[in-house]
Amino acid sequence: MSKEKVMPAGLPFVSAGAVWFILALILPVYKVWALIVCLIAAAAALILLSRRRAAQIAKLPPAPTVKVRAEELAKKLDVCRDQLIAQAGRLQDPSVAVTVQSLAKTLNLIADEVERDPKDRNKVRKLANHYAAMLTDLTEKYIQLEAQTAAADGANITGAMTQIREGLSGADDALKKLLDDLFSDDAMEVSADITVLEQLLKTEGSENKMDFSGLDM
């Protein structure tokens, strides 16, 4: 069953004008009775279509509230938090494991703060919808590279691991900065808060991109 579309807001007025125009061509509008008929017909068309549009709008599902949208973002952060916690247990490098655990903890605190104060949702939208998943992807790549070092200690693998390790550390600092901003009344945009994170995690179109295309993964 297809959902009925809502007519454009200006359609009732356009239709009323069309009714007036058509009747004016047919009836002698220079006579009072004809003028009254045109006015009544145009007004009836306007009222009927306006009521129909109001009924269509009433059938629409309610728009998500600010609180609901904030909770959706928090859930995305929670998913990435759980993934990072699981990945930390699979890491061989204890220093990277500590960094990943710190990332998970910070994501958890950010999610809690967004749920507590939904007005902060705009500051974390890019993080929840894009950057958090990139963190889990980078961590997973590091785990795969660790497994490869047991078989071959190549310069490419070592360099990639160093780049990811430094990237995760920088991202951890950036997230903590964002968290501090959420707890303050500073109205900085999220793009400014996570500039470091964005630069570190760019995977293409950057001189500092993390390119794993040459590795056997």
Side-chain angles (χ1 to χ4, degrees):
M1 183 177 176
S2 60
K3 183 173 67 175
E4 184 178 9
K5 294 183 179 180
V6 177
M7 71 175 67
L11 183 59
F13 298 95
V14 174
S15 299
V19 170
W20 170 275
F21 179 75
I22 293 172
L23 291 178
L25 293 176
I26 299 173
L27 301 176
V29 291
Y30 54 86
K31 294 185 178 181
V32 175
W33 68 267
L35 183 61
I36 294 175
V37 169
C38 290
L39 287 172
I40 293 175
L46 177 62
I47 293 172
L48 288 175
L49 289 177
S50 295
R51 288 181 176 176
R52 177 58 183 273
R53 184 173 186 276
Q56 291 173 337
I57 293 175
K59 292 179 181 179
L60 293 176
T65 64
V66 171
K67 185 176 182 349
V68 169
R69 289 194 291 266
E71 289 175 348
E72 290 173 351
L73 293 175
K75 286 179 181 178
K76 291 181 179 180
L77 293 175
D78 287 340
V79 169
C80 291
R81 173 206 62 197
D82 293 342
Q83 290 177 342
L84 288 172
I85 291 174
Q87 289 172 326
R90 297 163 53 204
L91 285 162
Q92 300 174 23
D93 188 328
S95 64
V96 178
V98 169
T99 299
V100 171
Q101 289 169 350
S102 179
L103 285 166
K105 180 180 179 181
T106 306
L107 285 179
N108 184 63
L109 293 173
I110 291 174
D112 289 345
E113 175 60 17
V114 170
E115 286 188 299
R116 185 192 69 80
D117 191 357
K119 72 178 177 57
D120 285 333
R121 71 192 185 284
N122 290 330
K123 293 185 178 183
V124 303
R125 182 174 285 112
K126 286 184 180 179
L127 173 63
N129 291 332
H130 185 58
Y131 295 120
M134 292 179 70
L135 292 173
T136 61
D137 289 344
L138 287 175
T139 303
E140 188 63 33
K141 287 177 181 178
Y142 192 89
I143 293 172
Q144 294 173 6
L145 290 172
E146 281 188 326
Q148 290 186 35
T149 58
D153 187 15
N156 287 342
I157 294 178
T158 303
M161 292 176 68
T162 299
Q163 196 171 18
I164 294 177
R165 185 164 55 247
E166 293 175 351
L168 292 175
S169 179
D172 189 32
D173 292 337
L175 290 187
K176 289 176 180 176
K177 183 178 182 293
L178 174 58
L179 180 62
D180 288 340
D181 182 59
L182 293 179
F183 279 108
S184 71
D185 292 329
D186 191 357
M188 293 173 63
E189 295 291 337
V190 65
S191 58
D193 284 329
I194 57 176
T195 298
V196 177
L197 175 61
E198 183 174 4
Q199 293 300 321
L200 288 169
L201 302 185
K202 279 184 177 178
T203 56
E204 59 185 7
S206 170
E207 294 180 359
N208 298 319
K209 64 182 179 180
M210 296 183 181
D211 186 6
F212 301 99
S213 59
L215 300 178
D216 182 18
M217 299 181 64

